[in-house]
Amino acid sequence: YVFMSWRLSQQRKAAKAERKRRKQAVTNGQDPTSASRAPQVQANDDSGVKQRRAVAATGANTSGSTATPAPAVKAQSAPARSDRPTSMPIDRGADVIRREAELKRDALHVFRQLRAASTADEKIGFCKEAVEVYDSIPKRVGSGLASITSGRIVFCNALMECGGLDELRECQDSQHPDAMGLVERVVPIIFST
């Protein structure tokens, strides 16, 4: 559990560094796709600042060289806020809400049984059942990515209502494949915000 949360934080740091690298490439007038091919900085290495400074210094040295400077690109300002189209709320039909409510009901049922289970074998059986419910989300709510994501969030919210982190810790401690399958599916969603 600790490793997975550490790994997620490292992935977030790497993604943030990649976004900064691309943004820096755009501001320097470079192709952002070539910036993504730049050498990757290890997530646990704190030399990212040094590397960005070196890239910025290199950019400053090349701009002061005797070569002809690149043509200046006029920055375009973003349109005024009133010119932007406003987003309309998405109409989620009664059928979508009903399917998500059924998913939540089934997930709550499994997680309450998991919490009330007294033996390790019972807990593992309910973990297996929870994995089956999770894997059936595309069939239950629809195959679109937005529907699947929404269904997974509903599933994780049901887990959190039932004291989910404590249950996940117990599942992880058991080291059973079904219990670990539940942890592997749920933890990235819980800690993605």
Side-chain angles (χ1 to χ4, degrees):
Y1 177 76
V2 173
F3 172 75
M4 287 188 277
S5 62
W6 173 83
R7 178 76 176 135
L8 281 170
S9 69
Q10 296 302 314
Q11 289 174 344
R12 286 187 191 124
K13 287 179 185 178
K16 187 176 181 180
E18 179 66 23
R19 286 191 301 268
K20 284 185 178 180
R21 203 174 304 117
R22 287 184 182 178
K23 186 176 181 181
Q24 183 69 26
V26 170
T27 58
N28 289 339
Q30 299 173 349
D31 182 21
T33 57
S34 65
S36 65
R37 290 185 222 127
Q40 296 292 324
V41 178
Q42 293 294 326
N44 59 0
D45 185 16
D46 62 350
S47 66
V49 173
K50 294 177 185 176
Q51 185 178 16
R52 286 193 297 274
R53 287 181 183 159
V55 169
T58 306
N61 290 342
T62 59
S63 64
S65 66
T66 59
T68 56
V73 177
K74 183 178 179 181
Q76 297 178 355
S77 62
R81 192 155 264 313
S82 62
D83 294 345
R84 293 182 185 170
T86 59
S87 61
M88 300 298 292
I90 297 173
D91 181 29
R92 296 167 30 110
D95 187 46
V96 172
I97 294 171
R98 180 189 51 79
R99 288 183 288 179
E100 287 180 358
E102 289 174 1
L103 174 65
K104 183 177 181 178
R105 183 194 67 219
D106 293 344
L108 280 172
H109 179 70
V110 171
F111 293 136
R112 286 178 182 144
Q113 287 178 325
L114 176 64
R115 186 174 53 187
S118 57
T119 66
D121 290 337
E122 288 177 344
K123 287 186 181 271
I124 289 170
F126 290 124
C127 286
K128 183 176 182 179
E129 191 176 339
V131 168
E132 290 171 0
V133 171
Y134 182 90
D135 290 342
S136 71
I137 288 174
K139 295 174 189 167
R140 290 171 169 257
V141 297
S143 60
L145 187 57
S147 299
I148 293 171
T149 302
S150 180
R152 288 176 178 170
I153 291 170
V154 166
F155 182 86
C156 291
N157 286 343
L159 173 64
M160 297 305 288
E161 280 185 35
C162 294
L165 294 179
D166 295 331
E167 297 302 324
L168 287 178
R169 171 63 73 185
E170 290 178 19
C171 290
Q172 187 179 19
D173 291 343
S174 73
Q175 295 295 322
H176 191 275
D178 291 328
M180 293 304 293
L182 176 63
V183 172
E184 290 170 359
R185 286 167 173 81
V186 171
V187 167
I189 296 168
I190 292 173
F191 290 107
S192 66
T193 57

